[in-house]
Amino acid sequence: MPAPFVRLLVNLAASSATVVGKAFVDAYKQASAEGGVVSSVKRMPLKEAWQILGVAEDAPKEDVEKTYQRMFDANNPEKGGSFYVQSKIFRAKEAIERAQQNKA
């Protein structure tokens, strides 16, 4: 008696896996068609980056670097700072540098 029940469960699991697999492939194809590259990395908006570092949009690279270094060091977790804030500062500098490279 258990054999038909086990067979039913195996068939159900196999068909569920097929459906989920097809849905995943379809979602991947759609995402890559709409956005080009499928990535889990989210980039910080440039406006947010300027606000975090507190520098003007037309600030020279040297000012951005100096401000970044001061803020990054001040938020060092080993000195009682916040890793979260430090990572936001790093991502802000990264976004600003990427925008400056794209301008050049």
Side-chain angles (χ1 to χ4, degrees):
M1 214 181 228
F5 182 68
V6 171
R7 193 173 330 160
L8 176 67
L9 285 178
V10 169
N11 285 338
L12 181 62
S15 62
S16 297
T18 302
V19 169
V20 169
K22 286 181 181 180
F24 178 77
V25 170
D26 290 343
Y28 184 86
K29 286 179 182 177
Q30 180 181 358
S32 93
E34 290 174 358
V37 177
V38 176
S39 175
S40 63
V41 175
K42 293 186 178 181
R43 293 188 172 160
M44 177 179 289
L46 194 53
K47 184 176 181 180
E48 182 180 351
W50 293 119
Q51 290 174 342
I52 288 172
L53 287 185
V55 294
E57 292 183 26
D58 58 349
K61 290 180 183 181
E62 296 79 27
D63 288 353
V64 172
E65 180 63 35
K66 190 188 304 183
T67 302
Y68 159 77
Q69 198 61 53
R70 181 180 48 81
M71 293 178 77
F72 191 83
D73 292 342
N75 285 285
N76 186 340
E78 294 175 1
K79 298 177 184 175
S82 167
F83 177 76
Y84 175 76
V85 173
Q86 194 180 48
S87 66
K88 294 294 266 186
I89 292 165
F90 178 80
R91 295 296 174 205
K93 177 182 158 256
E94 190 177 58
I96 291 170
E97 285 179 342
R98 189 173 35 256
Q100 288 175 339
Q101 286 175 352
N102 290 341
K103 278 186 177 179

